[in-house]
Amino acid sequence: MRGLKTLRNYFLYCGLERDEYNAIKKDAYVSNFVIWRVLHIFMAVIFGMLFITSLFNNPLKVNRLFYGIFFVYSAESVFLFFILKRDSIIPQFLIYLSMTMLFLLGCLVTKNNPEDPATSFIAFLLITPMLMIDKPFFMAIELSGVSAIFLIWMYYVKSFEVWQVDLINIIIYTIVGIFLNIIANSIRIKEFVLTREINIQKDTDDLTGLKNKGALTREINEYLGDVLGGKGLMFMLDIDRFKSINDTYGHDIGDKVIQQLGYYLAKEFVNGEIVGRFGGDEFILFIKNTDSYDAACNIAETIVKGAVENVLLPMPDKKVSVSVGIAIYNGNEKNYSELLKKSDIAMYNAKSNPNKSYCFFGE
């Protein structure tokens, strides 16, 4: 059973467990995007040259229509690769379709030279598996399918003796191609796992497990720089009288208070919000795609109430409170520091007002 599970993991998840694979597969697809785009540019150039050459070369004339179709397809794919998002599902579909077209080219080359073994097609069986980071199961289906089509087609084109040689070679190199894909995928995927672990360590606050200051700065700046990210809410909060907590109960309890608040925020905001520890007892929360005043009030009230209920002190009758400053982003601020300054001012306004636990910038 263990051997079957290992084999399943290699075919379906590149040698990883499913959750591990799902955590990094998006990064793997995005990293392949540029390679796929270059491949389609190369295909457009090759098929364009073949089409032009076929206008003047009689041996290539028979495949002129195919070359023209392949060129138009490749050119349109290049255009799509420049306008599609890197994590879109469409590029992943296009690369499989493009690989199929390359195999069809191998079939055409072999058809034009029926007396020779299928070296071009075999070359594609060995090269194309190196171009794709995906579940090897899908590549196995791709290679097996095009190999079957090739053998059926060539059965009616080649002499039986040459076809028998191709049959043996295609079976062998299809299996080799499948295993090359498994090996290449497992090596590259494990590199992504290692890189992801390093990035998580670099971006994680040791005390709370939330994002640290560097990660907060980078991710919020990325959102502010996105033309589609035209609105948002930034919350800055810190623990009231935190110095007194340290002085009264000791720094170990102070650290536990920060941890408890961090754990609560991590549990409460799990839908793509950017949340992290800015430093000391200060935390940042950034909500994307809304600039609603009412929504901001509801979130701030949730945070204030959640801090009281989830952050505990050694003496049960003593409660922890937080002050929250809110800055509404509507596309005007150009970077993280501008929003941070506004939310910081709002937070200190809340601290200075005993009747308020949260304030908006400008109020």
Side-chain angles (χ1 to χ4, degrees), residues 43 50 69 74 80 82 113 118 136 144 178 185 234 278 295 321 329:
M43 287 174 57
L50 285 171
I69 292 171
S74 301
L80 289 174
F82 276 99
N113 301 279
S144 301
I178 290 170
N185 271 267
M234 178 178 276
F278 184 73
S321 64
Y329 169 66

Side-chain angles (χ1 to χ4, degrees), residues 31 71 264:
S31 77
F71 169 71
Y264 163 69

Side-chain angles (χ1 to χ4, degrees), residues 24-37 81 85-88 91-92 133 188 192:
I24 53 88
K25 70 176 181 178
K26 180 179 176 181
D27 293 336
Y29 289 150
V30 169
S31 77
N32 260 359
F33 190 88
V34 174
I35 296 174
W36 296 343
R37 185 163 58 193
F81 270 96
K85 289 187 175 181
R86 297 191 174 203
D87 58 351
S88 169
Q92 300 165 38
I133 295 183
R188 295 177 68 188
F192 280 105

Side-chain angles (χ1 to χ4, degrees), residues 44 77 239 267 270 354:
S77 297
I239 300 166
K267 180 180 67 176
V270 293

